[in-house]
Amino acid sequence: ETGVTQTPRHLVMGMTNKKSLKCEQHLGHNAMYWYKQSAKKPLELMFVYNFKEQTENNSVPSRFSPECPNSSHLFLHLHTLQPEDSALYLCASSLSEARGSTDTQYFGPGTRLTVL
Amino acid sequence: KNQVEQSPQSLIILEGKNCTLQCNYTVSPFSNLRWYKQDTGRGPVSLTIMTFSENTKSNGRYTATLDADTKQSSLHITASQLSDSASYICVVRLPYNNNDMRFGAGTRLTVKP
């Protein structure tokens, strides 16, 4: 295991539901990331948090709302999603965004989201 | 057009055989290029990382090469094992923003007994 856990592993929700994805890292890292992985498409970086502060939002629709209460936990709150939002959502952590470009990200197993 | 193109999209080989996966990129300049392995139901795991000045990097049976002149990288797997069945993703990092990365769509490798 990588030291990054995600729950739930699978989620099916309707377009009017509100749900949250949770990510926890046990590595003592200070940076956390949310990615979207759609079938046969490249990974898309969604959000970055460094020392609990959001440092990156890659034009993600407001129906996705991240929350980082501390350096070990990261949430992705979902509401009024669309079927095209169905994908694997991956969380990752690294020592620190400031460590430079060779900082290695450790990924969780992902949450498989299906929007009906 | 994606700035990082991987080929083939999928590949099936027999156990024990070698294979080479390709990554062509148009990103320039760049800071480093990384290869990830992603098992089914898991997140990606870093295999190798090369800066723009490095030509090769090995990790056990995995050897990555980089030709910055032709903007090509390859991942060579020697004596394949069933556990090598996974997706392999090439990622190029830009130099000015640590979070500015270009991901390939991956190559799906299946190793059969």
Side-chain angles (χ1 to χ4, degrees):
Chain A
E1 299 304 322
T2 62
V4 181
T5 59
Q6 290 187 244
T7 55
R9 294 294 308 274
H10 300 272
L11 179 62
V12 178
M13 59 186 288
M15 290 191 285
T16 57
N17 292 156
K18 289 185 181 182
K19 297 287 184 183
S20 296
L21 310 185
K22 179 182 175 182
C23 175
E24 184 174 359
Q25 57 95 359
H26 310 274
L27 301 168
H29 289 168
N30 295 302
M32 297 189 77
Y33 311 78
W34 278 118
Y35 288 87
K36 176 183 179 182
Q37 188 175 37
S38 303
K40 298 185 180 179
K41 288 187 178 179
L43 274 162
E44 301 171 46
L45 179 64
M46 300 173 71
F47 301 104
V48 181
Y49 279 82
N50 199 41
F51 292 93
K52 300 189 300 178
E53 298 297 320
Q54 187 179 123
T55 57
E56 201 88 26
N57 175 342
N58 276 348
S59 304
V60 180
S62 59
R63 57 186 185 269
F64 295 91
S65 175
E67 178 190 0
C68 188
N70 54 61
S71 291
S72 299
H73 294 86
L74 185 64
F75 295 90
L76 188 62
H77 303 300
L78 317 171
H79 63 98
T80 58
L81 294 192
Q82 305 298 312
E84 60 263 29
D85 296 322
S86 299
L88 182 68
Y89 288 84
L90 290 162
C91 172
S93 71
S94 69
L95 271 171
S96 170
E97 203 183 3
R99 277 191 86 246
S101 62
T102 56
D103 196 26
T104 298
Q105 293 183 16
Y106 294 81
F107 286 83
T111 294
R112 174 70 60 187
L113 174 67
T114 302
V115 182
L116 301 176
Chain B
K1 187 172 164 69
N2 194 13
Q3 292 177 289
V4 178
E5 296 286 344
Q6 291 188 243
S7 62
Q9 192 174 50
S10 61
L11 180 63
I12 301 174
I13 63 172
L14 292 176
E15 187 179 12
K17 297 295 186 183
N18 303 336
C19 69
T20 300
L21 313 181
Q22 297 291 342
C23 173
N24 295 341
Y25 59 92
T26 58
V27 178
S28 184
F30 72 98
S31 179
N32 58 64
L33 185 149
R34 196 186 289 260
W35 282 93
Y36 283 94
K37 178 187 180 190
Q38 185 175 16
D39 292 314
T40 301
R42 300 281 185 96
V45 174
S46 180
L47 288 176
T48 63
I49 178 173
M50 293 177 289
T51 65
F52 62 89
S53 61
E54 293 179 288
N55 298 121
T56 187
K57 187 67 70 77
S58 290
N59 178 358
R61 295 179 296 102
Y62 301 101
T63 299
T65 62
L66 176 62
D67 186 334
D69 292 331
T70 61
K71 296 187 175 60
Q72 293 181 326
S73 177
S74 64
L75 181 69
H76 186 75
I77 304 175
T78 305
S80 61
Q81 300 176 0
L82 298 179
S83 59
D84 292 329
S85 295
S87 288
Y88 292 84
I89 301 170
C90 173
V91 184
V92 178
R93 189 168 233 155
L94 276 67
Y96 307 118
N97 178 347
N98 288 335
N99 297 319
D100 200 351
M101 294 172 282
R102 302 291 184 266
F103 290 84
T107 291
R108 177 72 206 174
L109 174 66
T110 302
V111 180
K112 293 198 167 183

